[in-house]
């Protein structure tokens, strides 16, 4: 029995040494944003005077550089794709802990794509670098998702067993450039624009998401985000969508939610939708659409502050 325990202890010691050794390069490269999704550490000591919180529609709609030219305010986009506003609550909480100063304006995306929550862990591989010892505070949220494994938060390297290719990217600080459909290879202040194309938009996405109403509970994550900034001016943004999608979208709930809490709602396409030439797909603007959306926001903000 003693011999067995001795051998077991040695084996566990060797295994722990190997796992820790494999973890070290991940630790030393942890601040490197190795993909469009892994930008949580970019928020550390953020001093932006404005922030825009949303999903992938947020990071393609507003150009922080153009916004600064128009308003004189710096902007940071805090976004996470995957149609899950609950993860944005966690990312907002993290931002609140690491930000350097209180933003003057907080823009929050408000549309049907922001009112969903997922049961599965979307793009889990892009969160792996943050899991060990719960570096950004997402374990309580992640524990409710399909794909959660408690040991990945406590045992070094084990979280990469399912995603070995992600280990090499993060261990060696390899950045996965944005695809050619974007105008830049890396996000700048959380922003990346889609290229202009001459292709006509294809069929509409699931219209039920846009034309049907939501239960009031669906708005709770949006309200949590808004209430996280008691000293900031909160503005809801409805990012541009295509003309066909705009035609089937029910805005009544969003208008009612805005009025109920006294938070202005800016529709950046004026309830008309954007023509095909300004859209990459039905829910994301291209570069030209981003310029117009940004300038529209600047104009609406100027009108709002002067009223």
């Amino acid at each position: 029995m003693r011999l067995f325990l001795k051998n077991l202890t040695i084996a566990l010691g060797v295994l722990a040494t190997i796992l820790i050794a494999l973890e070290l390069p991940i630790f030393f490269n942890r601040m490197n944003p190795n993909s469009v999704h892994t930008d949580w550490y970019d928020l550390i000591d953020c001093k932006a005077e404005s922030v825009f919180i949303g999903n992938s529609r947020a990071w393609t709609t507003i150009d922080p550089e153009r916004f600064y030219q128009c308003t004189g305010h710096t902007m940071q986009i805090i976004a996470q794709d995957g149609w899950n506003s609950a993860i944005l609550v966690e990312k907002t909480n993290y931002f609140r802990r690491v930000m350097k100063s209180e933003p003057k304006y907080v823009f929050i995306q408000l549309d049907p794509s922001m009112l969903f929550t997922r049961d599965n862990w979307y793009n889990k591989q892009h969160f792996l670098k943050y899991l060990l010892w719960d570096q950004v505070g997402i374990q309580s949220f992640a524990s409710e998702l399909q794909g959660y494994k408690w040991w990945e938060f406590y045992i070094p390297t084990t979280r990469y067993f399912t995603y070995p290719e992600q280990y090499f990217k993060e261990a060696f600080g390899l950045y996965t450039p944005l695809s050619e459909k974007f105008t830049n290879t890396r996000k700048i202040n959380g922003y990346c624009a889609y290229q202009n194309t001459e292709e006509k938009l294809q069929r509409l996405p699931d219209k039920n998401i846009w034309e049907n109403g939501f239960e009031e509970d669906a708005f709770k994550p949006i309200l949590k985000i808004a209430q996280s900034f008691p000293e900031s001016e909160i503005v809801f943004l409805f990012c541009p969508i295509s003309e066909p999608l705009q035609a089937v979208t029910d805005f009544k709930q969003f208008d009612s939610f805005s009025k109920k809490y006294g938070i202005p709602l800016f529709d950046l396409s004026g309830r008309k939708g954007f023509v095909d030439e300004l859209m990459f797909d039905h829910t994301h603007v291209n570069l030209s659409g981003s310029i117009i959306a940004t300038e529209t926001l600047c104009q609406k903000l100027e009108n709002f502050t002067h009223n």
Side-chain angles (χ1 to χ4, degrees):
M1 186 65 177
R2 282 186 189 174
L3 181 59
F4 170 76
L5 291 176
K6 179 180 178 181
N7 290 337
L8 179 62
T9 301
I10 293 173
L12 290 177
V14 171
L15 178 61
T17 301
I18 293 173
L19 293 178
I20 293 171
L22 289 172
E23 186 69 39
L24 288 177
I26 300 292
F27 174 79
F28 288 120
N29 280 299
R30 69 189 186 284
M31 304 301 289
N32 182 58
N34 60 287
S35 81
V36 66
H37 307 274
T38 54
D39 61 353
W40 291 55
Y41 286 142
D42 290 354
L43 304 177
I44 294 176
D45 294 335
C46 178
K47 300 178 182 179
E49 298 161 294
S50 302
V51 297
F52 180 17
I53 301 171
N55 55 30
S56 60
R57 280 162 48 72
W59 75 43
T60 58
T61 298
I62 302 300
D63 180 352
E65 184 176 347
R66 183 64 181 142
F67 183 80
Y68 177 75
Q69 293 171 352
C70 293
T71 67
H73 294 292
T74 55
M75 174 180 278
Q76 174 69 44
I77 298 171
I78 302 173
Q80 200 74 39
D81 73 339
W83 288 37
N84 192 340
S85 56
I87 188 62
L88 274 169
V89 174
E90 302 302 325
K91 198 166 189 176
T92 300
N93 291 338
Y94 175 74
F95 173 71
R96 295 286 302 168
R97 295 195 298 271
V98 302
M99 69 182 188
K100 198 71 171 179
S101 59
E102 195 78 22
K104 180 177 176 61
Y105 294 105
V106 176
F107 303 102
I108 303 173
Q109 182 185 331
L110 180 63
D111 59 43
S113 70
M114 280 287 287
L115 301 183
F116 283 88
T117 56
R118 287 177 176 267
D119 295 326
N120 63 314
W121 196 337
Y122 181 81
N123 270 344
K124 179 184 176 181
Q125 67 269 28
H126 297 300
F127 292 86
L128 298 182
K129 68 189 299 183
Y130 307 118
L131 299 193
L132 189 62
W133 305 308
D134 199 16
Q135 298 167 49
V136 296
I138 62 171
Q139 184 173 11
S140 60
F141 165 77
S143 64
E144 301 176 1
L145 300 176
Q146 297 172 14
Y148 169 77
K149 300 170 184 175
W150 65 266
W151 59 84
E152 295 179 334
F153 285 82
Y154 300 102
I155 304 177
T157 313
T158 56
R159 61 201 188 279
Y160 290 98
F161 288 176
T162 311
Y163 304 96
E165 72 286 350
Q166 195 71 16
Y167 173 82
F168 291 101
K169 290 179 183 178
E170 296 181 359
F172 299 103
L174 303 177
Y175 186 84
T176 304
L178 296 173
S179 67
E180 294 181 356
K181 62 185 179 182
F182 293 100
T183 58
N184 49 317
T185 57
R186 291 175 180 255
K187 287 200 299 184
I188 302 171
N189 285 28
Y191 169 73
C192 51
Y194 280 114
Q195 295 277 8
N196 293 340
T197 67
E198 297 181 359
E199 298 178 8
K200 290 294 182 181
L201 298 182
Q202 303 300 312
R203 65 182 181 85
L204 282 172
D206 185 358
K207 293 193 296 182
N208 291 333
I209 295 172
W210 296 83
E211 62 186 357
N212 292 343
F214 290 85
E215 298 294 331
E216 190 169 342
D217 284 354
F219 289 85
K220 286 184 177 179
I222 306 296
L223 190 59
K224 283 183 180 180
I225 293 172
Q227 292 172 337
S228 299
F229 298 92
E231 299 178 25
S232 304
E233 186 75 53
I234 309 296
V235 177
F236 291 139
L237 295 186
F238 196 104
C239 298
I241 52 181
S242 68
E243 287 181 330
L245 193 56
Q246 188 99 3
V248 301
T249 300
D250 184 0
F251 286 89
K252 291 193 288 291
Q253 272 196 303
F254 305 109
D255 290 332
S256 297
F257 183 70
S258 169
K259 292 176 182 177
K260 180 178 179 179
Y261 292 99
I263 300 175
L265 170 61
F266 293 172
D267 179 1
L268 299 183
S269 56
R271 303 291 162 97
K272 297 178 181 178
F274 273 13
V275 296
D276 286 10
E277 289 74 18
L278 300 177
M279 302 296 297
F280 179 80
D281 56 32
H282 285 282
T283 58
H284 297 85
V285 295
N286 59 24
L287 178 60
S288 296
S290 174
I291 293 172
I292 292 177
T294 303
E295 293 177 349
T296 300
L297 172 59
C298 295
Q299 186 61 57
K300 285 182 177 291
L301 187 61
E302 182 179 2
N303 295 340
F304 173 74
T305 55
H306 285 83
N307 286 340

